[in-house]
Amino acid sequence: MEQKKIEVTVSDAALRAAAAEGMDAFVGQFVKAIREAIGGELTAETMGGLTSDQVTLLAWDALHEEVMDGGFVQLIHNGWGPFMFRNPVAKALRLWGLRDLSKLVYEAHTLYTKHGADIERDCTDEEFMALFERFPAFDDLDDAFVEHEEEWTVQIAEYIDQHIDHFANVNDNANI
């Protein structure tokens, strides 16, 4: 049985306003629309109704939010490791033209394979903070992500703009 495609719609006016605000806001409009279309939660069922580009954009959003807030250790501890590293996220980012980001995700995957089980364990806040000391190998990856985040956001916005129909239907009357 074929998975039903989930319809994602954004308003042209919202996109224009977001584009005027900047690349983060432009990308954010698509993330918001996809999240609303799936009821706010990415599950195996909702993932099956999205395009690979929509899933990759949600992966970028999780990667961006978690790494900018607390690095790859936080991303993994908060449960994103399997989604990020057991799916072809790095390959998809490479296909979008983000080779350096793809390489960074592959490097993080190598560390995840080695340390993921330890990082994913339930722990106290104190034990969580100690994870950063226990796994300093992620520090350089975190720094590289922060250093290149703006340029990667621009590249993602450009990719979306060039492939807009892979992400959403643009509608003059959409309520987004």
Side-chain angles (χ1 to χ4, degrees):
M1 188 168 124
E2 191 173 315
Q3 176 74 35
K4 184 178 185 234
K5 184 179 182 301
I6 296 172
E7 292 297 323
V8 178
T9 305
V10 295
S11 81
D12 185 57
L15 286 182
R16 290 180 191 281
E21 276 184 58
M23 297 300 174
D24 285 321
F26 179 77
V27 171
Q29 280 296 313
F30 289 92
V31 170
K32 177 183 169 191
I34 295 166
R35 287 199 186 285
E36 287 177 1
I38 62 173
E41 189 174 352
L42 185 63
T43 64
E45 184 180 324
T46 59
M47 194 167 18
L50 296 174
T51 68
S52 60
D53 278 341
Q54 289 167 330
V55 173
T56 301
L57 183 58
L58 292 179
W60 159 255
D61 185 60
L63 180 67
H64 180 261
E65 291 299 312
E66 295 288 340
V67 175
M68 291 300 288
D69 188 48
F72 280 95
V73 168
Q74 178 176 302
L75 172 98
I76 295 165
H77 183 74
N78 285 345
W80 286 103
F83 175 68
M84 204 63 58
F85 304 120
R86 294 185 186 146
N87 287 301
V89 173
K91 179 181 179 182
L93 292 169
R94 183 177 45 82
L95 293 173
W96 282 14
L98 289 111
R99 292 195 186 286
D100 290 340
L101 177 56
S102 175
K103 284 175 57 178
L104 187 77
V105 173
Y106 278 123
E107 289 176 37
H109 178 264
T110 300
L111 293 173
Y112 171 74
T113 300
K114 187 174 181 181
H115 304 295
D118 288 333
I119 297 170
E120 290 171 334
R121 286 194 178 106
D122 285 339
C123 60
T124 66
D125 287 344
E126 188 175 298
E127 291 168 330
F128 170 71
M129 294 309 291
L131 291 174
F132 295 95
E133 298 297 321
R134 285 183 55 204
F135 303 106
F138 288 98
D139 291 350
D140 289 341
L141 302 181
D142 296 343
D143 292 346
F145 188 92
V146 171
E147 182 179 331
H148 297 284
E149 176 268 338
E150 283 186 34
E151 71 186 74
W152 290 333
T153 301
V154 168
Q155 289 176 295
I156 288 168
E158 289 170 351
Y159 182 86
I160 292 170
D161 193 43
Q162 293 166 4
H163 303 90
I164 219 159
D165 59 321
H166 296 195
F167 296 92
N169 298 313
V170 179
N171 184 327
D172 289 334
N173 301 320
N175 294 325
I176 296 174

